[in-house]
Structure formats: structure tokens, C-alpha cells
Amino acid sequence: QVQLVESGGGLVQAGGSLRLSCAASGRTFSSYAMGWFRQAPGKEREFVSVITWSGGWTSYADSVKGRFTISRDNAKNTVYLQMNSLKPEDTAVYYCAAPTVPYSYSEYQADFGSWGQGTQVTVSS
């Protein structure tokens, strides 16, 4: 099991930027891909982005492609989500997650067994 703690959420105006961080502990961080998901009010949780264990490959939801960037620092056991050009529709609770299986890559929530508590991002128009 890995413990995940997100930070960096907040209130920002449309067009602004935020950087989310997720600090991990409890397992060999560098052996696991890491993902970001989000859940808007009244909606199901959805995939945002994922990065491989080495950071060499990333994937994004179409809705954030070109605006969000995922990265990781294995020396700091931390994964980041840089969010630029934010829109009101990006308002959600953002969660980082680690898959159950090391060296596995997925965009599906069911493959992720460890979740953080979430951090609120609110974008005002």
C-alpha cells in the first residue's frame, strides 16, 4: 500500500494556472506509474493524466491536452500536475492515484489501488 497526499489546489480565475503536487510514501515510488483523476460536482470521477514509472511516457484526457502537464520527481517521491489556461469546467476535486501492479500502465480507475484524499480546484469565470 502507498500513501498519497495531494496539495496545491485552490481558487483561481479562468485563464490562470495551478500546480498540484502528490507526495507518495510506503512503496518504491519509482516502480509505479502515477495518475491524476478528477471529480466534478454531480459527475463521475474521470481520468485526467498518467505518467509511466520512469516519466518517459505520458497520456492526457482530450479535455486537458495542451493545457495540463504531468511530471514526476522520483528522488522526491512526488508527481505533479501543472494546469494552465484553466477553465470553469476544470473545477473539480483532483485525486492522484497509484496502480495496484508495479510497472503497469493504465488510464482506468479500476487498475489504481491507492488514492489520495483529493484537493479542490475551483476556477471562477
Side-chain angles (χ1 to χ4, degrees):
Q1 194 76 5
V2 63
Q3 290 74 48
L4 303 171
V5 179
E6 302 99 333
S7 61
L11 174 64
V12 63
Q13 289 188 331
S17 298
L18 283 174
R19 187 176 83 153
L20 306 183
S21 299
C22 173
S25 62
R27 287 193 305 196
T28 306
F29 179 75
S30 59
S31 300
Y32 292 84
M34 293 295 296
W36 285 97
F37 296 81
R38 68 185 182 185
Q39 186 167 22
K43 295 187 177 181
E44 293 187 353
R45 190 162 56 186
E46 64 178 4
F47 167 76
V48 174
S49 183
V50 64
I51 187 167
T52 56
W53 43 94
S54 66
W57 183 264
T58 59
S59 179
Y60 298 91
D62 288 343
S63 58
V64 307
K65 202 170 294 183
R67 299 187 298 121
F68 290 11
T69 302
I70 190 171
S71 62
R72 66 189 295 158
D73 185 338
N74 285 345
K76 296 182 178 180
N77 284 7
T78 302
V79 62
Y80 305 97
L81 186 68
Q82 178 66 44
M83 306 185 295
N84 298 330
S85 302
L86 282 162
K87 305 175 182 180
E89 51 263 43
D90 294 318
T91 295
V93 177
Y94 284 71
Y95 299 89
C96 69
T100 304
V101 179
Y103 302 110
S104 65
Y105 183 87
S106 174
E107 298 177 5
Y108 298 100
Q109 298 182 49
D111 294 327
F112 288 78
S114 297
W115 294 82
Q117 82 287 351
T119 186
Q120 176 70 47
V121 171
T122 302
V123 184
S124 63
S125 57

